[in-house]
Every structure is written in C-alpha cells, then in structure tokens.
Amino acid sequence: MLIVMRMLSGGASASVQAVGAGTIADLWDSRERGRAMGIFYLGPLCGPLFAPIVGGLLAERWGWRSTMWFLAGYGALTVIFIFLALPETLAVRKPVLPDVAENDMAPVSRPLSRVSSRQVVGVTTRWLKMLKIVFIDPLKIVLYLQYIPVLLSVYYASIAFGSLYVLNVSVEHSFGKPPYNFSTIIIGLLYIPNSVGYVVASLFGGRWMDSIMQREAKKANRYDEKGRPIYHPEDRMRENAWLGAFLYPAALIWYGWTVDKGVFWLVPMIANFFFGIGSMLIFSMVTTMLTEFMPKKSSEGVALNNFMRNIFSCVGSLVTAPIINGIGNGWLFTILGLVSFASSSVIFLMRVFGPRWRKTMDERMR
C-alpha cells in the first residue's frame, strides 16, 4: 500500500510541475520567461534542501510515520491555497462540447432486447473511455519525441536530472558509512550545498538567459512589423548552456573521487554546490525552451520532459548503490561525468541545425 500511495503522489507531483510550467508560459512573454521559469523551479529543486532536514527531524523524534502525517497536512494546505489563490491563466478557453445523451449514441451492431443490456453497454463504454483518458491518452506526449528539437532538449535535461538522483543516493549511501559515519540529520544537512547552487542559478540564470535571447534577436536583426524583436527558443542555448555543460559534469567527477578517497566532507560538498549551479542552468533552460518550441502545448512539452527525465532518475536511483558497492564512487561519477560531457554535443547541434529543425517542426505541427 505504501508503494501504491507513493506512485499516486508521484503522479500528482508530476502534474503540478507540468501545469505550473504551462502557467508560467501563459503569464510571461518570451523575453521574461526565463527569469520566471528559474524562480518557479526553485520549488521542485529546493525540495531536497528542506525535505531531508525536516524528514530527518520528524523521523528521529516521532518515527517515519510522522513524515506521512506532515505531508498530509501540507497537502491539505496546498489544496486550500490552490482554490483560493490560483485563478485560471489561460486567456482563451476552448468550448466544452456537450455530453452526448445515451439516446443519441450510435446503435450497436445488433439490437439489444433488454434495457439492462443497454445500460451495461453504456456503463462499459464510459469506463473504457475513462480508462483510455487515464492510461492511454497521457502517453501520446511521447509522440512529440519525433521532433528533433524536443528530442534533444528532453534527452539533455534527462541526463542532468538522472545525475541529480544518482548524486542524492550517493550522498545518503556514502556518508552514513565509514569514514564519515554521519547521522540521519547530518546527512540531511549535506543536501544544502547543491540546493544553494539551485537558488544561486535561479536568481541569476533565468535573467541571464533572457538577456542572451534578446541579444541574439537584435544581433540577427529579427523584428516584426511593429518593431518588436522576434525570439527563437534555440537562442537560449549559448554561453549559459556551455557553462552548465562544463560545471555539472566536472562537479560530478570532483565529488566522486573526493568521496571515494574519504576526503574531508567539505570538499565534496563544494563540488555539489557547483553541481547545483550547472544542473539548474540546464533544467531552467530546457524547460523554458520546451514551452517555446510548443507554445500552444507548453504543458504537454513539460509533461514529456518530466516523463522522460523521471525514467532516467528512476533507473539511476535503482542502480546507484549496487554500482558504488561494485566499482566505488570515483569510477561511477567519472563515467557519469564523461557521459554528461559527451551529451553537451546537443548544444552544438542545436546551434548549427536548430533553426532548420524548428522550422520543420512548426510546419508539421500546424
């Protein structure tokens, strides 16, 4: 039952991220969206800052069940705030089609002699439609991977996000054992450095990304008939992307070998701070780009990003501890860092071929 409830909570949190990013796309223009998206992502990524600390204190004082009660109360407060303080942000709503009455339904292939049989068919049809909406329709977002800009952006973010979970598991796995032997609360505090990195990158990274996009539009002399700059999503992948592409893989290798050799705990924590900066630059950049590659389906683009990157994070969480036991932190994070470095080729590809791929995508999505 605990696993089932955790699956349901995961689905709920994923929908919040997708709808939240779509809300940002509704409210902010492209020239300011990067800053807004960076601030928005402080929420999901600062969870690792507060959750281990609060959870460790609760579990140590009242047991692990107290964390569940805390989350239940927190969720109830969140629902209240959503109803009271979160209005609809979509400018134009699609008309809702009226429900088709049972009498207007197309006849079945052969006549049914009993009313109860018709009721069974109607109920079954409604349940099948509901199951399709719940389990089949959400998977249609995977079809957007046929567009190269979406595929590459999602892949790059997924590598960084999977690395985050490998790092989180390693912190818990490694610092609770010799030579560190830290308690649960102290291990929770070790998540602060990378979370501080997220905050720093959110505060300056989004604004920096917006200024880069505006600069690129002016440099290319792209203006509409009213003299307003024309922005392209791939313009966000410039020096900010290269900085993130260098920082977070280098920080992974730095962390891996310092922990592997039992170096004083502050040294790997400094590496985690830089990992937080580099990975946050990538996360906010990709999420903002997806809302602009798919302007009329921004929530679906973010949902696809969440779907794919959570697959990477799930696999990473499962295999990290066995791999550490087998080859150690040093080699694990060296391999992961090299894969991350190699994946930064996405930035070069988007720089060279991005405009052509985006135009093709726009034509096919019309």
Side-chain angles (χ1 to χ4, degrees):
M1 181 59 69
L2 180 62
I3 294 175
V4 173
M5 293 297 105
R6 290 198 64 180
M7 290 177 61
L8 292 175
S9 66
S13 62
S15 64
V16 169
Q17 291 188 40
V19 174
T23 302
I24 297 296
D26 290 341
L27 294 176
W28 272 270
D29 293 332
S30 294
R31 59 190 176 89
E32 299 178 325
R33 192 172 296 159
R35 178 173 60 89
M37 198 68 72
I39 296 173
F40 166 75
Y41 256 88
L42 279 177
L45 291 176
C46 277
L49 169 60
F50 299 108
I53 300 173
V54 175
L57 290 171
L58 290 173
E60 193 163 291
R61 179 65 178 85
W62 292 290
W64 68 268
R65 288 181 175 83
S66 63
T67 62
M68 303 296 107
W69 287 110
F70 174 83
L71 290 175
Y74 177 77
L77 287 175
T78 302
V79 170
I80 294 173
F81 277 115
I82 288 175
F83 276 108
L84 297 180
L86 187 62
E88 175 59 60
T89 58
L90 186 62
V92 179
R93 297 189 183 188
K94 295 181 179 179
V96 179
L97 297 177
D99 294 334
V100 179
E102 287 189 13
N103 294 334
D104 297 333
M105 293 176 61
V108 293
S109 57
R110 60 187 179 86
L112 297 172
S113 58
R114 297 181 180 180
V115 175
S116 60
S117 298
R118 295 192 184 95
Q119 292 175 343
V120 169
V121 171
V123 171
T124 303
T125 301
R126 285 194 292 271
W127 272 103
L128 289 175
K129 288 181 178 179
M130 186 179 300
L131 291 174
K132 177 177 177 292
I133 292 172
V134 173
F135 294 105
I136 304 299
D137 289 351
L139 296 178
K140 291 180 179 179
I141 58 174
V142 178
L143 297 177
Y144 291 120
L145 292 176
Q146 65 183 296
Y147 303 114
I148 298 179
V150 175
L151 173 64
L152 293 180
S153 300
V154 169
Y155 163 76
Y156 194 40
S158 298
I159 291 293
F161 199 72
S163 301
L164 165 63
Y165 274 76
V166 172
L167 182 63
N168 286 346
V169 172
S170 173
V171 169
E172 181 180 2
H173 180 82
S174 302
F175 284 91
K177 297 180 178 180
Y180 299 105
N181 293 318
F182 290 161
S183 65
T184 302
I185 295 179
I186 299 300
I187 291 176
L189 295 174
L190 295 180
Y191 291 97
I192 292 178
N194 50 337
S195 298
V196 173
Y198 301 145
V199 174
V200 171
S202 294
L203 293 178
F204 81 85
R207 192 183 301 273
W208 184 24
M209 182 168 52
D210 289 337
S211 66
I212 289 173
M213 187 177 65
Q214 295 172 26
R215 181 197 69 198
E216 293 297 316
K218 293 178 181 178
K219 183 189 298 185
N221 198 29
R222 294 195 305 262
Y223 296 94
D224 61 15
E225 63 277 2
K226 295 183 179 180
R228 295 175 298 191
I230 299 175
Y231 303 118
H232 291 162
E234 62 272 14
D235 288 341
R236 295 186 182 275
M237 271 190 171
R238 292 298 184 265
E239 61 268 25
N240 58 322
W242 287 115
L243 178 61
F246 171 77
L247 276 182
Y248 94 84
L252 288 173
I253 298 173
W254 174 356
Y255 166 87
W257 284 110
T258 52
V259 171
D260 192 81
K261 301 302 180 182
V263 178
F264 182 59
W265 64 269
L266 183 60
V267 178
M269 291 304 103
I270 295 174
N272 286 1
F273 168 75
F274 287 109
F275 172 85
I277 292 178
S279 59
M280 185 62 184
L281 289 173
I282 302 300
F283 296 147
S284 59
M285 177 189 69
V286 169
T287 304
T288 309
M289 288 174 59
L290 286 172
T291 64
E292 294 166 348
F293 278 131
M294 306 166 62
K296 296 181 180 179
K297 301 179 180 180
S298 55
S299 293
E300 294 181 40
V302 177
L304 173 62
N305 187 36
N306 287 339
F307 177 72
M308 297 304 299
R309 72 182 192 174
N310 282 323
I311 292 176
F312 280 67
S313 64
C314 176
V315 174
S317 300
L318 290 174
V319 304
T320 298
I323 293 178
I324 291 175
N325 293 333
I327 63 175
N329 280 288
W331 285 113
L332 167 61
F333 284 97
T334 297
I335 295 171
L336 189 57
L338 292 176
V339 171
S340 301
F341 273 127
S343 299
S344 63
S345 59
V346 167
I347 303 172
F348 173 77
L349 293 174
M350 290 295 293
R351 172 75 173 179
V352 177
F353 304 107
R356 185 175 68 190
W357 288 338
R358 175 181 44 77
K359 291 178 182 178
T360 303
M361 176 180 170
D362 291 342
E363 292 173 358
R364 293 176 61 186
M365 292 187 69
R366 286 175 184 171

